[in-house]
Every structure is written in C-alpha cells, then in structure tokens.
Amino acid sequence: KKVEQTEPPTIGLSKLFPDGKYPEGETQEYKDDNAFRTTSEEKRYDEQMAMEDPEVTYNHIRRAAEVHRQVRQYARKFIKPGMRMIDIANGIEDGVRALVEEDGLDSGVGFPTGLSLNHCAAHYTPNPGDTSVLGEKDVLKVDIGVHVKGRICDSAFTLTFDPTYEKLLEAVKAATDTGVREAGIDVRLGELAGYIQETMESYEVEVNGKVLPVKPIDNLSGHSINLYQIHGGKSVLLVKNDDQTKMEEGEYFAIETFGSTGRGKVIEQGEVSHYARRVDAPHVPLRLTSAKSLLQSINKNFGTLPWCRRYLERAGESRYLLALNHLVSQGIVQDYPPLCDVRGSMTAQFEHTILLRPTRKEIVSRGDDY
Ligand SMILES: COc1ccc(Cn2nnc3c2[C@](C)(O)CC[C@@H]3OC(=O)NC(C)C)cc1
Ligand SMILES: [Co+2]
C-alpha cells in the first residue's frame, strides 16, 4: 500500500520510494551548437554510464531535491508572521533531517537554512538566543540545502504576507527562470549574467505611490556546486560582464538571482551565523587547545559543508566563541556575515539547482510551486 508523507513531514524518503529511484527534474534541451546532444548516441551512452557510476549517479541529487520539495511545501504552509525565526529554522531542519534520513556526513542538511529578511539578502540564520519574530510586512528569503552523499540541492524562494512587493518577487522569479533557460554547456558566464540582468531590469514595483526600478544585486551570484562544496569556484553574476568562462558538461549549478529596491549592492552587516572550513585550510599548529578540539568537532560533523552556531551547539559544543574566532583569524574557518542592501530597501531571491547532463539540462529542484 502507498505510504503517505505526514504533516509536519517525518517519513524518510526510503519508505516513500522503496525502489530507491527518485523522480527526474524538469529537463530542457540544449540550444544552437549543442542541440545535437538531444539525439546523440554517444552522449546518451556517456549519460547512461554516469547514471550507473555510484560516484556520479543522478539519483543522489534527485533524492535531495525530492526532500527539498516536500519540506518547502510544508514550510510555505507553516511559516506565519508572529513565529520566532529560530522555530522556523528548526521546523525546516527537523523536516530535512527526517526525510533525508540524516546519517553523519553521508546525508543531511546541506548548509544553514537561510532566513534573510527585508534588506538582507543572504547568509542570515538565527544564532542561539535569537528571539526575533517574523513580521507580517517582512520579505523572507527561505534558502534550504539538502545533501545526499555530498551532492547538495541548493534551492530558495521568497515569502511575503502582504501584496506590496509582489512585482519584486515576480521580477526575481522571472530572472531566475531566464537564467535557468539560458544556461547550458558552452554558455559563457558573463553572457548568461546579461540575460538575467535584462529580465530583472524590465520590472518596476510601486511602493506607497513611488515607482521603484528592480535592480539585480551586482555583488551576489549563482555558483557551481561540487561534492561537499557549496561554492565550486564558478560564479554566475547578475549583471552583464566579460567573463568568458564557460559552463561545462557534468557541472552542477545553483542558478540564483537577487533583486532589490535599494542600491542593488550588498555589504557585510550584522552578527555572523554562517561558517565553513576552508577547502584549502592551512595546516597551522594550533596553540589554543580549545581551538584544536573545536576544529576536530568541525571536521567530524561538517567536513567542508557550511554550518552555523546552532549546529555547533547541536553537536555538543559550548563556550566555543573564542576558539571559533581563533580558527577564523588563522584562516582555517571562513566566516560569512549577513549580506544586506540599505535599510528600508527590500530584496528577493529565487534559486534552482541544475545539472548539465550530456544529453540535456535537468532542473532537479523544479516543483509545482516554483
Ligand atoms: C557559509 O554558508 C554558505 C552557504 C551558501 C553559500 C552559497 N553561496 N556562495 N556565494 C553566495 C552564496 C549564497 C548564500 O547562495 C548567496 C549568494 C552568494 O554570492 C556571493 O557571495 N557572490 C560573490 C562571490 C560575488 C555560501 C556559503
Ligand atoms: Co542557495
């Protein structure tokens, strides 16, 4: 008999997909010089081999994407003004951990649940003791990460509870869909940024009788994603530029766009919650014993995946701040402060994870919501 997901979501996906096969995302054909890939026998063979290679198999990212869809469906219903940000974060992360059947570094939360508000666009999640509450005029960016064997599904949407900024959200959703549609093998990153910018700038939003242009945030970007590495080194900016770097077959990308009614530029502002051990962390001898043991805990629990202070406490760490700041000053851990436009402005985000398969592009995180 068919097992149904509960609400709140608690049933691990292995029980909902007993055959272990997870649904393919939306696919789109490549264009122009890569259109041949749709019917190429050779590319179909390459793809079949990748599918069967336990290291590459698309099944991992598809399982992560299905967890993402089921948790965000619940999140879109349960998040309401008046809720504490920390309860929103825990509600989402409890769902991710249950459905992905969290298992050490093999599967779990992909990165801290982004819950950036209003003029802040990214890298905010509540720290322990944060008692702030969601307001009904707030514009909330919900950025959820799920990983299965290091394959990270990174997808985000924006929630509002009053209609004022509907046009801002429409602009950003359209710009992200443009980015998804124009992405492809051999597409230049600088050119893709131009298409995104063009869509974003074709919108305006009227706030209290004043017409404001929607601006792409020019120092934020989408990014390639590698195994256990949320930023794979390639950035998809949101304004036209002459980066000739191309997208390549087999790459995973987070196509995310951010629109703003402010300056269209973010600065680092507020208390840090987000951290990640640097992939190229230097091997410096650590004098501070507490820093040594904290680093061991970070390596054991997160490896190179991003984490936040709440996850340190969940892993049993306490009174860690001095040691944490020491690891940051030694260049072993990178801190990621919240990224905010000017006060009074509003920012929105939409994001999908896409996979550049040999024969076609797969938007793995696509759902019937966005
Ligand atoms: C430490 O926790 C995280 C979590 C996610 C990411 C993934 N990411 N990597 N870069 C960015 C992101 C976000 C969080 O998607 C938001 C946009 C941001 O773009 C950006 O800064 N671009 C400049 C390099 C031009 C990184 C760290
Ligand atoms: Co993201």
Side-chain angles (χ1 to χ4, degrees), residues 122-123 143 219-221 223 230-231 237 256 258 274-275 306 336:
H123 294 167
D143 197 340
N219 59 341
L220 288 181
S221 68
H223 47 94
I230 189 60
H231 199 306
L237 288 169
E256 59 187 308
F258 293 85
H274 283 54
Y275 300 86
Y336 294 78

Side-chain angles (χ1 to χ4, degrees), residues 102-112 145-153 225-231 274-279 297-308 311-312 333-334 336:
E102 179 187 36
D103 176 16
L105 282 175
D106 271 354
S107 61
V109 170
F111 51 80
V146 184
H147 88 88
V148 172
K149 297 243 183 313
R151 289 285 168 212
I152 305 167
C153 179
I225 310 175
N226 291 344
L227 217 47
Y228 290 98
Q229 216 182 335
I230 189 60
H231 199 306
H274 283 54
Y275 300 86
R277 201 201 75 206
R278 295 173 66 108
V279 177
S297 173
I298 290 164
N299 285 333
K300 172 170 169 279
N301 290 290
F302 315 116
T304 51
L305 288 173
W307 42 276
C308 61
Y311 298 178
L312 283 186
V333 165
Q334 177 66 53
Y336 294 78

Side-chain angles (χ1 to χ4, degrees), residues 167-182 192-204 214-216 238 257:
K167 276 290 175 204
L168 172 64
L169 272 64
E170 195 184 313
V172 179
K173 190 182 287 188
T176 297
D177 278 341
T178 294
V180 165
R181 193 178 56 252
E182 296 302 329
L192 180 54
Y195 302 130
I196 289 168
Q197 175 176 14
E198 194 181 349
T199 299
M200 188 83 80
E201 291 181 342
S202 68
Y203 285 82
E204 52 191 32
V214 177
K215 294 181 187 168
L238 309 179
T257 72

Side-chain angles (χ1 to χ4, degrees), residues 68 111-112 114 122-123 142-145 153-156 221 223 225 230 254-256 258 349-353:
H68 198 286
F111 51 80
H123 294 167
V142 184
D143 197 340
I144 302 172
C153 179
D154 180 0
S155 178
S221 68
H223 47 94
I225 310 175
I230 189 60
I255 301 294
E256 59 187 308
F258 293 85
Q349 172 194 24
F350 281 90
E351 175 180 34
H352 276 297
T353 292

